[in-house]
Every structure is written in structure tokens, then in C-alpha cells.
Amino acid sequence: KMQNKLREKKIKGESKNGMVRIYMNGAQEFEDIFIDDAYLDPNMFDEIKKGMKDAFKDYQKKLQKEIIQDVDLDQLKSMFGK
């Protein structure tokens, strides 16, 4: 049930300059990517890699916030037998 709920969440991770965006669901499954045309020049490879790292970090932060918001305290208690 929780896994299905996570799959329904769509989260965008974005590089600091907005030129690279990744789209993943809450179950950490890759869905799509956007790379600005300016980065499609072969000389921009390092910038693409940096943008991907930034976008993934942004996605991870957003996912953690989503999970925390969805945590049901009663579910937690039952998971730990309390």
C-alpha cells in the first residue's frame, strides 16, 4: 500500500540554474528528464553532469519532505509494536 502511494507522487528535481530537470516518483523510479538545448553542445558535458547531480540532490530533498508529511504516527507506532 505504501509503495503504491509513493509511486503516485511525482517529484521534480531541478539544477540550481534550472537547465536540467529530472522527474521521478516517490518510489525513486525515474520517469523523465529535461536538458536545456544550450547544454546539448558536446562541450557542455561537464555542465550536464553537474546539473544532473544538482537535480538529483534537489529531488532527494523534496522526496524526504514528502515522506515526512505522509508519515502517519499510528503507522509508525504499529511498526515498532507500540
Side-chain angles (χ1 to χ4, degrees):
K1 180 180 174 182
M2 180 79 153
Q3 193 72 8
N4 289 338
K5 199 172 181 184
L6 288 171
R7 280 195 175 97
E8 291 173 8
K9 291 194 174 298
K10 307 301 178 200
I11 301 169
K12 174 180 72 172
E14 191 168 5
S15 63
K16 292 176 184 169
N17 62 8
M19 306 236 343
V20 177
R21 295 189 288 274
I22 59 171
Y23 300 87
M24 298 177 71
N25 65 32
Q28 300 184 35
E29 298 168 336
F30 179 82
E31 300 212 346
D32 202 2
I33 186 170
F34 166 82
I35 299 174
D36 191 278
D37 289 344
Y39 273 6
L40 298 181
D41 181 318
N43 297 322
M44 300 295 284
F45 186 71
D46 287 340
E47 285 78 5
I48 292 173
K49 287 184 357 184
K50 183 182 181 323
M52 289 293 295
K53 287 179 184 178
D54 287 348
F56 192 72
K57 285 179 187 176
D58 185 51
Y59 159 79
Q60 288 178 314
K61 286 181 195 173
K62 290 175 180 175
L63 174 62
Q64 289 171 358
K65 286 180 185 176
E66 289 283 335
I67 290 173
I68 288 170
Q69 287 176 352
D70 284 351
V71 169
D72 179 351
L73 291 179
D74 290 330
Q75 279 182 322
L76 281 178
K77 288 177 184 175
S78 68
M79 286 171 54
F80 294 106
K82 296 190 180 213

